[in-house]
Amino acid sequence: MTESSFDIDFPTVYRGADSKGVIKQQVEDFFVEELFAPELSGEGEHVWLFVEKQGQNSEYVAEQLARFAGVKQMDVGLSGLKDRWALTRQWFSVYLGNKSEPDWQNFTLDGVKVLSHVRHLRKLRRGEHSGNKFRIRVRELLPESNLEDILQRIKTQGFPNYFGPQRFGLNGANLSRGYRFFKGQLKASRSQRSFYLSAARSYLFNLNLARVIQTNSWEDNPEGGPLYGDPVPGLNTLTAAEQQILDAHPVFADAIHKNRLKLERRPYLIIPQNLKWCINSNELLLEFDLPSGCFATSLLAELLKMEVGLGVSI
């Protein structure tokens, strides 16, 4: 394997060759809001903030919230990471302890607004939200004649639950950097190491999903595909085909084992909830809900070949 060998163009199920469109031509074309309705006590040493942002990534917002409140970054919690190049709404928490609470309306960061804040007894943990609501506008649409049929099939039958390309970076750059790091050729911070592991694990899952799509058996795997790690009692062991993919990537396999990750299973198929669409002239408007950890771009990839506005990658 070489640094340039990471192909992240995975096979789709429904998409034809001619349907095209542009996403994120404007930031507000891609709206994401956490599906999360926490029952907050109104008292305690933590304050939970509902934040709207655009043009900023979640970890940077967390860092700036910590600085504004005069606390350590580890004292700021969030449930999920949200796209920088989108209009997003998500929850953060800040542990204040005995510190006085700042006036959150004075928190200033380009593209960021604190919509509400409530005291609570504990910190917000990763993965607490159940999912995300998406509202997406695709511009410069060149639809195939069967686009409506594909949308209807996705609504009833689901779509492949790939990790989206943003997990891997532009042209798979995160995989290449991770490969070099695992080979001892690159230094990385703790957060970068975690990200490289996640990218490697996600890539191997996508390879397994691509395999069952190519054999037309992706709908026949109720246990889902492997997020590789050490065996867990009671969890389905690897099949011969799954083991073969892991064996073909020894650098990633060794990194996963050294970091003591545990074997998990992720569904191969996801049915979006509350899927609605409207095709007007050369635009497609989409609304749908997905479970936490599922990628809207993977649904879009089943509809069209995406170009990205704003001069950024997805």
Side-chain angles (χ1 to χ4, degrees):
M1 179 183 295
T2 65
E3 291 180 37
S4 60
S5 62
F6 298 107
D7 182 5
I8 58 171
D9 186 16
F10 301 105
T12 58
V13 173
Y14 305 113
R15 191 186 76 203
D18 299 326
S19 194
K20 299 177 182 179
V22 178
I23 65 171
K24 300 184 180 180
Q25 196 171 83
Q26 301 175 21
V27 171
E28 52 275 14
D29 287 350
F30 206 99
F31 172 80
V32 190
E33 181 173 336
E34 286 180 345
L35 293 171
F36 190 31
E39 295 182 3
L40 303 176
S41 62
E43 58 184 8
E45 296 181 327
H46 300 260
V47 58
W48 285 38
L49 305 112
F50 193 46
V51 174
E52 181 179 279
K53 68 176 187 64
Q54 55 180 308
Q56 305 284 0
N57 67 52
S58 299
E59 289 183 330
Y60 182 71
V61 173
E63 178 184 328
Q64 297 308 307
L65 287 170
R67 180 175 297 180
F68 178 74
V71 302
K72 298 177 182 178
Q73 189 169 352
M74 64 180 294
D75 291 328
V76 177
L78 70 165
S79 184
L81 300 177
K82 296 291 177 288
D83 198 330
R84 177 179 181 181
W85 301 111
L87 178 62
T88 70
R89 292 177 179 172
Q90 68 177 114
W91 286 93
F92 293 84
S93 72
V94 179
Y95 172 67
L96 294 174
N98 294 324
K99 290 180 177 290
S100 59
E101 184 172 351
D103 184 349
W104 297 107
Q105 298 308 309
N106 290 332
F107 176 71
T108 56
L109 182 62
D110 286 347
V112 178
K113 292 190 294 185
V114 175
L115 301 179
S116 64
H117 54 92
V118 183
R119 285 274 185 164
H120 197 39
L121 300 172
R122 63 171 181 83
K123 183 178 183 178
L124 173 61
R125 304 295 181 183
R126 287 290 179 99
E128 285 199 50
H129 66 300
S130 62
N132 295 290
K133 176 182 290 295
F134 295 90
R135 187 170 65 244
I136 297 171
R137 182 186 300 271
V138 180
R139 299 179 187 267
E140 300 180 27
L141 180 68
L142 297 174
E144 290 187 85
S145 59
N146 65 339
L147 183 59
E148 291 265 8
D149 293 337
I150 293 174
L151 282 161
Q152 189 61 49
R153 290 179 67 188
I154 288 175
K155 183 175 183 177
T156 57
Q157 300 174 27
F159 66 97
N161 191 25
Y162 281 120
F163 288 95
Q166 55 267 57
R167 176 63 57 93
F168 309 118
L170 182 62
N171 298 321
N174 295 332
L175 292 168
S176 297
R177 293 191 191 103
Y179 181 81
R180 292 172 59 199
F181 168 70
F182 300 139
K183 291 277 286 183
Q185 301 169 354
L186 190 71
K187 292 183 179 180
S189 66
R190 177 178 294 182
S191 62
Q192 287 172 324
R193 293 197 297 269
S194 176
F195 194 76
Y196 294 154
L197 274 171
S198 179
R201 214 173 176 211
S202 301
Y203 175 70
L204 296 176
F205 172 87
N206 279 14
L207 290 180
N208 275 288
L209 178 49
R211 173 181 55 82
V212 296
I213 286 175
Q214 289 168 329
T215 59
N216 201 31
S217 59
W218 71 289
E219 296 176 293
D220 304 324
N221 288 268
E223 72 279 6
L227 292 170
Y228 289 111
D230 294 338
V232 175
L235 194 66
N236 290 332
T237 57
L238 298 180
T239 66
E242 291 168 348
Q243 185 65 52
Q244 185 177 18
I245 285 179
L246 184 63
D247 292 343
H249 298 81
V251 172
F252 287 167
D254 186 55
I256 289 169
H257 176 67
K258 284 183 176 179
N259 285 273
R260 297 288 183 249
L261 298 178
K262 299 299 183 183
L263 176 64
E264 300 174 62
R265 290 280 171 178
R266 171 183 169 95
Y268 276 148
L269 181 153
I270 289 294
I271 298 177
Q273 300 300 302
N274 304 313
L275 176 59
K276 303 174 185 177
W277 63 86
C278 178
I279 301 175
N280 288 323
S281 183
N282 63 343
E283 290 188 353
L284 169 64
L285 303 177
L286 285 169
E287 290 187 22
F288 53 90
D289 302 341
L290 293 179
S292 178
C294 298
F295 286 75
T297 47
S298 296
L299 186 154
L300 289 170
E302 294 295 325
L303 300 174
L304 47 88
K305 291 182 178 179
M306 291 175 285
E307 295 181 16
V308 185
L310 297 173
V312 300
S313 68
I314 55 174

